Amino acid sequence: MGCEVCLPIARGYTIYFAEEENAIKLASYFQSFQEDSWKFIADRFVWLKESILFDLLDYLEVHMILDNIYAVLSSLSDPLKNLNDLRPIGSFKQEREASWIDTVIEKSSLCTHFQPIVKVTDGKLEVIGQELLSRGLDEDGQIIPPYKMFEAARIRNRLFALDRACRIQSVRNAGVVGDQLIFINFIPTAIYVPEHCLSSTFKIIKELNIKPEQVVFEVVETDEVRDLEHLKSILHYYRSHGFKYALDDVGTGFNNLRVLEQLKPDIVKLAIEFTDGVSRDTDKQKVAQSVLNIAHDMSALALAEGIEREEDLHFLEEMGYDLFQGYWIAKPQPTPMKSIDVSLSSSCI
């Protein structure tokens, strides 16, 4: 079950011709397509299915001036509803270029990579959890980087659908993690009503017999959050069902220390901006200490992500950080690492 935000829908557009003669000239062009895929709806207005719009862009570049033609996403049932949002038709080229993300979402062409999260025990790294990171797959099975997927989803207004697809795929692949903690990312702006938007996620967790206390839902891209109360309601919903939640990129943007105190996460992740080089930068050390103090004051674990150097890990471990994650420890990979045969060098202990 899903709402229209997440499910694939046939897109259509209302096209407006500032010069009536252009609409007349294109009449024969439109008639070459099936009748149910386009319709003249008023003087200078025509409604098109998206596939025709994409073809039309190429035709117009050769035969007409794009500046005098405008378009807006619309439905055939009410094609004149969003006319205030009309914009130059040429700007929809990026929609066409990003349309591949629809196939990724609808076919769930995704895979999961795992990055270990560790603690330090007697100078050795002990794996206590895995962050599950989604990657797209193109038609040849090659990896599509996450930043490319989410940028395309933003352009296509499919961010909600992609977040849901990634979350569900991660949960389906979580069984291989065993009894370790399972970190699953979610974008809070992609969840409207937790009871509805998270039902599929919770159902799969139950089917796989994963214990709720193993699962840590990690809030990402909180710089986009404008409704703090809505985010609180989502986090409360997670916690009321026995799950944990973590706050990502603490110390930057939206995730200032005041907000951290309001959200009261189970795990606080220090942003990489303050982790990388912290052993040599007193300003970063001050931020790291402040985040650590607040985390421990609220009985949360402090996790330093983005560990790129052994000396930074050692410095933060000495400061009191509980957990660590980063490329120096291990890069994300297709199968989870259950253990890491690495000890801190004697010079760092």
Side-chain angles (χ1 to χ4, degrees):
M1 180 179 179
C3 63
E4 63 179 11
V5 172
C6 291
L7 294 177
I9 57 173
R11 290 187 175 213
Y13 296 83
T14 296
I15 313 300
Y16 169 67
F17 298 91
E19 298 179 3
E20 186 175 4
E21 63 181 41
N22 286 337
I24 296 173
K25 288 178 181 178
L26 284 170
S28 59
Y29 173 83
F30 294 134
Q31 289 170 3
S32 66
F33 296 96
Q34 293 182 347
E35 291 183 2
D36 64 350
S37 60
W38 67 278
K39 183 179 181 180
F40 277 110
I41 52 179
D43 289 342
R44 304 185 186 184
F45 288 96
V46 62
W47 183 88
L48 307 173
K49 285 187 176 180
E50 185 171 71
S51 58
I52 299 181
L53 172 69
F54 289 168
D55 287 337
L56 180 63
L57 287 170
D58 291 331
Y59 181 86
L60 292 176
E61 281 190 321
V62 176
H63 298 284
M64 292 186 182
I65 299 175
L66 296 180
D67 294 346
N68 296 322
I69 304 173
Y70 302 85
V72 64
L73 186 67
S74 67
S75 65
L76 181 57
S77 61
D78 194 1
L80 301 179
K81 180 180 179 181
N82 300 316
L83 296 186
N84 288 336
D85 297 325
L86 281 166
R87 67 179 201 256
I89 196 170
S91 66
F92 285 88
K93 291 178 183 178
Q94 64 175 353
E95 293 268 350
R96 180 177 61 184
E97 293 168 358
S99 61
W100 57 267
I101 194 63
D102 296 344
T103 301
V104 170
I105 294 169
E106 287 149 27
K107 292 186 176 181
S108 291
S109 299
L110 300 162
C111 64
T112 302
H113 282 199
F114 304 82
Q115 186 173 32
I117 293 170
V118 305
K119 67 178 181 179
V120 178
T121 304
D122 297 327
K124 295 184 178 181
L125 303 183
E126 178 184 350
V127 179
I128 60 88
Q130 306 283 339
E131 181 172 356
L132 279 58
L133 301 164
S134 294
R135 305 287 187 264
L137 295 171
D138 65 19
E139 294 179 351
D140 298 321
Q142 299 300 307
I143 295 293
I144 303 172
Y147 75 87
K148 187 175 181 180
M149 285 200 303
F150 281 92
E151 178 58 27
R154 283 190 178 90
I155 293 172
R156 296 287 291 164
N157 196 27
R158 300 298 306 278
L159 187 61
F160 311 101
L162 180 59
D163 179 73
R164 177 179 182 272
C166 289
R167 190 177 348 109
I168 289 176
Q169 187 73 10
S170 292
V171 171
R172 285 177 175 155
N173 293 329
V176 297
V177 173
D179 59 359
Q180 297 176 351
L181 290 178
I182 300 165
F183 287 69
I184 297 175
N185 295 327
F186 82 96
I187 300 173
T189 52
I191 296 176
Y192 290 122
V193 181
E195 294 84 351
H196 175 67
C197 296
L198 299 174
S199 59
S200 297
T201 303
F202 286 9
K203 180 181 178 182
I204 297 170
I205 289 173
K206 185 175 181 179
E207 289 173 351
L208 293 176
N209 294 317
I210 297 173
K211 298 175 182 177
E213 59 267 25
Q214 278 184 260
V215 181
V216 182
F217 286 102
E218 184 172 332
V219 187
V220 298
E221 298 200 5
T222 42
D223 59 310
E224 298 294 330
V225 172
R226 297 293 177 265
D227 188 345
L228 185 60
E229 291 305 314
H230 178 60
L231 176 55
K232 286 181 179 180
S233 72
I234 297 171
L235 299 179
H236 174 75
Y237 189 75
Y238 280 134
R239 186 166 279 166
S240 67
H241 284 74
F243 301 103
K244 297 180 175 67
Y245 59 86
L247 201 60
D248 193 26
D249 288 334
V250 172
T252 65
F254 177 87
N255 288 334
N256 57 53
L257 303 186
R258 179 186 61 82
V259 171
L260 178 62
E261 292 176 318
Q262 292 187 58
L263 297 180
K264 300 186 184 304
D266 299 284
I267 297 174
V268 175
K269 299 186 77 171
L270 178 67
I272 188 173
E273 290 92 324
F274 305 105
T275 299
D276 189 25
V278 66
S279 59
R280 305 184 307 275
D281 189 317
T282 56
D283 290 334
K284 293 182 179 182
Q285 291 168 14
K286 291 176 183 177
V287 175
Q289 186 67 65
S290 296
V291 171
L292 176 67
N293 292 343
I294 293 178
H296 284 179
D297 284 347
M298 64 177 67
S299 300
L301 295 176
L303 189 160
E305 63 178 336
I307 295 292
E308 303 283 350
R309 300 176 179 84
E310 182 179 1
E311 56 266 32
D312 291 335
L313 188 156
H314 174 68
F315 183 89
L316 291 168
E317 196 266 335
E318 285 287 302
M319 181 180 281
Y321 272 75
D322 307 289
L323 305 173
F324 307 90
Q325 177 183 8
Y327 277 22
W328 183 81
I329 299 166
K331 295 181 179 180
Q333 47 201 293
T335 56
M337 297 178 66
K338 298 301 179 71
S339 62
I340 297 178
D341 188 20
V342 174
S343 299
L344 296 180
S345 62
S346 57
S347 61
C348 287
I349 298 178

